[in-house]
Amino acid sequence: MATTRDEKAVNITPAGSDQAPALSEKYDEKVGGVHEIGLDRIDSEEAQVIEGHLDVTEEDLLQAKAVAESLSLEEVVKLMKNVVKMHGRDPNFPHVVLEKIQEFLANQENIVANPEKHYDIITEMKIEAALIQSNSPYAEVRAVVDNTDDPSTPCSTIRSWTIGILFSVILAFVNQLFSVRQPSITIESNVAQLLAFPLGKAWEKWMPYYEFTLFGTKHNLNPGKFSKKEHMLIAIMANTAKSLPYTQYIVWTQVLPQYFNQSYANSFAYQILIALSTNFIGYGLAGITRRFIVYPSYCVWPASLVTIALNSALHHEENHTVPGPFKKLYSMSRFKFFMWAFGAMFVYFWFPNYLFEALTFFSWMTWIAPNNLNLNILTGFQNGTGMFNPFPTFDWNVMLFDAVDPLMVPAFTTFNKTFGMAFFGFIILGIWYTNVWNTGYLPINSNRVFDHHGSLYNVSRAINEKGMFDEAKYMDYSAAYLSAANTIVYFAFFAIYAATISHIILFHRAEIAIGFKNIWKSVKPKSWIKRNAAGESIEEEDVGYKDVHNRLMAVYPEVSELWYLGCLVIAMALGFAGVAAWPTYTTAGVVPYGLFLAIVFVIPIGIIKAMTGIEVTLNVLAEFIGGAWVEGNALAMNFFKSFGYVTCAHAISFANDLKLAHYIKIPPRHTFTAQMVATLISTLICTGVLNFQVNIENICQPDAPMRFFCPGINTFFTAAVLWGTIGPVKVFGIHGQYKWLLLGFPIGLCIPVIFWLIIRKFPRNKFIRQFHPVALFYGGLNWAPYSMSYCWPAVPIAWLSWIYVRNRYLAFWSKYNFVLSAAFSAGIAVSGIVMLFSVQWARVSIEWWGNTQPYTGCEDSACTIKTLSEGERFFPWWDANKVPAP
């Protein structure tokens, strides 16, 4: 056996922890025999059994044994009751360990009365309790996150701030400038993290040692070794700055003459007010909800583990050998492994992305008969469903289409998502083949909107010169029609919103209750605290239990809820000013509306994102409510959509950064300041660049320079007119075209209830416990324009990593899995940027079979099961007397 982690051995007693309270003499007498036996007598064979039972590596076991010696049986029982309460419905928590804990608690009276007869289970429970107290209950967290901290490690330094601000400026400028290009150019935070490392090391080597005092605090131009805390602070700033203000879409559609042509939107003051408001309003919620979605140990945040793995690979210089596949020992360091994997993916990505595109769109069955309708529909990659193609791609980037890496998220997330997508795929086939809602006349898997001629919907033919709904023009043109897959996407959206609420209430109400109790404890007046005669508090130190990361972070001053609340209030005031001071034809109530929607959903969505790695976005719900509220006013609907969607999305994104800082032990006030500064820089840079862009000649036109065709702006404008001008009442209302899709709400509400009842009936069934209703509905969201060809390839990867390798070679998996994920993502990002600014920028293409075959037949132009002659149309199926039907 060998250890797994690259760190040197350290004392794992967490900073700020208290010694266990003394037990009664009577209880000590009962358990004394167990202490006499001692955990140090566990031999290697027993150790291997315990490692398998508790899902730990040898190093984790050795560390836990040292802490377990000091734990009493009474403490273990109390802790395990809390564990079952908090992790009983947690699919990430090892099922075998949970069963052991439940067995232990079910027999606790006999165990306490006769501890000498239950040595094995007491030993395992003590080690598991020690593991929970001194580390993390999750192997994936233990794999990359240190359970120790050195508060003297440099973090907020001149070096980290200079490099962080530099990358904030670069990412904001480049991402904004090329956001309207087709294809767009985006620099992700992992690229910034990778590039920041050589800059930090160069600063460490060449910058002179110079100490000075600023605002009463000593600073040094070169604080010494470039630390992982400095590096992560830079990464957090880059991750914050890469996000562009969502309100830019509103400004684009207002300013340009081919859209709403509202000249007042050229005002920098107007642009900066609404941008600052939407960018900062999410911080307030992220900070206030920390005790629900950041601090609890069950909030793993899988995406943060990949970021930390990259950080660890670059900074950890020590290395240990681990046993792995093929009965070999693997001694390659994480850094070396990262560089090899990064280099391999950098080179390989040139093939599917440029040299041999058939490797990406590997619809090999359709190549046999490219114009065969049924073959394309069942196996096609681009214009089919891809339901029956077992080998659809050899492009790693395809599996990252929804930013859910199969190496990053738990296997149950990938399996549920894929099963849900397949289930809805069969429904889509049924709808299309039976021509329900005239879908047979349209491409089966498109996210576009069509008219009754089967052509793309021309929104300009349904609005007047002010961009408002014109019923006469609408009646002279056409209603809006959706493809078969797009109808299911909307059904899945309605279902997932309801399922998110009911799932959290049923499965996580205990955790939410603990969060509220902890908030109350933090704000409760000191005079209300119960004390003994000596004036000491007799209340529990914390509701629930604190893991080692919370205890280590306790040494740093916390950011007050008032800071976050102040940020929230200021952001709302800026939003009021931006909406009310210009003729936006929008009520200022849109700002509290967005806040209210986010308050309802931020905790449920945050918990689901933290546990599964998938994010439920509120864009459709915000669009739906806003369009119904201000029917006929596309601009007002845009504001409702922006505040309703962005507030929650930003809160979730910022919460992920807070968890990153929590894992790396960055002082909370440093994180808060870094996020604020990076967001301010990003907002100012993006707004300035936007002001420049709108004045580029022919921008967003077919003859635009530098391929600035604005595909995202066009899609946003189309959605604004359809759901803001035409309105969701006509489309989804009780008498509307697609009223039956509203059944998604009650069905989504009921499905988690059914799963909850089944799990209560079969509480020990491991298979049922892995079903996640929200993740199942999330699979349905992935249709249109994506197909099963994007989703299915992640399944064997997830099984190989999370099931096969993890269960057999945990030490090997712990050392390399997340590093591999980070290396592949970084390799693709850097390779894509190099390609874009070289061969693709120069429009150098390679014409050969491997690059043309994926675009032949029905894969080039979507085939339909029903066709229309020139000038022919299909007709509405709903009551035209209640909802106008052209």
Side-chain angles (χ1 to χ4, degrees), residues 334-632:
R334 287 177 173 177
F335 177 75
K336 189 174 182 180
F337 179 77
F338 172 85
M339 294 308 298
W340 273 107
F342 169 83
M345 183 54 72
F346 176 88
V347 173
Y348 176 77
F349 190 58
W350 280 78
F351 289 90
N353 198 53
Y354 180 68
L355 298 172
F356 192 2
E357 293 181 29
L359 292 175
T360 295
F361 309 110
F362 198 67
S363 301
W364 56 280
M365 294 184 186
T366 67
W367 302 344
I368 301 170
N371 293 305
N372 186 299
L373 171 68
N374 294 320
L375 185 63
N376 178 261
I377 293 302
L378 298 178
T379 67
F381 192 108
Q382 300 180 79
N383 290 324
T385 61
M387 292 285 289
F388 300 98
N389 184 356
F391 310 107
T393 187
F394 295 94
D395 183 353
W396 183 265
N397 195 43
V398 165
M399 291 182 287
L400 309 183
F401 74 100
D402 60 346
V404 181
D405 187 335
L407 295 177
M408 174 185 76
V409 300
F412 79 87
T413 297
T414 302
F415 297 160
N416 276 272
K417 177 183 74 171
T418 306
F419 180 82
M421 194 169 184
F423 174 81
F424 284 111
F426 285 109
I427 297 177
I428 290 169
L429 288 172
I431 290 174
W432 192 74
Y433 272 108
T434 56
N435 195 32
V436 174
W437 300 320
N438 289 327
T439 54
Y441 294 100
L442 309 175
I444 188 173
N445 191 29
S446 172
N447 64 343
R448 308 297 293 273
V449 181
F450 300 88
D451 61 21
H452 54 213
H453 295 291
S455 302
L456 293 178
Y457 199 86
N458 185 352
V459 294
S460 64
R461 294 182 61 181
I463 59 177
N464 60 24
E465 63 278 1
K466 294 182 180 180
M468 297 295 188
F469 177 65
D470 189 321
E471 186 169 357
K473 293 180 69 175
Y474 171 77
M475 291 299 293
D476 192 46
Y477 177 42
S478 171
Y481 297 89
L482 305 177
S483 71
N486 216 9
T487 60
I488 289 302
V489 168
Y490 277 100
F491 172 87
F493 265 115
F494 298 151
I496 203 170
Y497 295 138
T500 296
I501 299 298
S502 61
H503 175 80
I504 291 298
I505 291 174
L506 292 171
F507 288 89
H508 301 290
R509 60 186 182 278
E511 295 95 310
I512 292 177
I514 289 173
F516 278 115
K517 289 177 182 177
N518 287 332
I519 284 182
W520 171 242
K521 285 174 68 68
S522 70
V523 300
K524 183 167 59 174
K526 293 182 179 180
S527 58
W528 294 10
I529 299 176
K530 298 178 182 179
R531 303 181 185 277
N532 57 21
E536 299 171 336
S537 172
I538 59 174
E539 294 185 354
E540 292 185 39
E541 180 184 330
D542 191 22
V543 181
Y545 68 87
K546 285 187 176 181
D547 68 352
V548 65
H549 305 297
N550 282 299
R551 294 197 300 274
L552 290 170
M553 288 295 285
V555 304
Y556 301 108
E558 185 57 274
V559 177
S560 169
E561 269 78 7
L562 293 177
W563 293 20
Y564 286 106
L565 191 60
C567 178
L568 181 64
V569 171
I570 293 172
M572 290 182 66
L574 294 173
F576 286 135
V579 172
W582 282 268
T584 59
Y585 306 104
T586 305
T587 170
V590 69
V591 180
Y593 152 79
L595 181 63
F596 173 76
L597 195 63
I599 287 174
V600 172
F601 280 95
V602 67
I603 294 176
I605 290 177
I607 290 176
I608 290 170
K609 177 71 181 286
M611 297 180 73
T612 67
I614 61 176
E615 182 175 351
V616 179
T617 59
L618 297 181
N619 55 320
V620 169
L621 185 61
E623 204 170 53
F624 184 82
I625 296 174
W629 193 337
V630 289
E631 188 174 10

Side-chain angles (χ1 to χ4, degrees), residues 174-175 178-187 707 711 836 840:
V174 173
N175 290 353
F178 295 105
S179 62
V180 295
R181 188 180 184 275
Q182 185 178 1
S184 63
I185 299 173
T186 303
I187 302 179
R707 300 176 64 86
L836 193 56
Q840 291 177 347

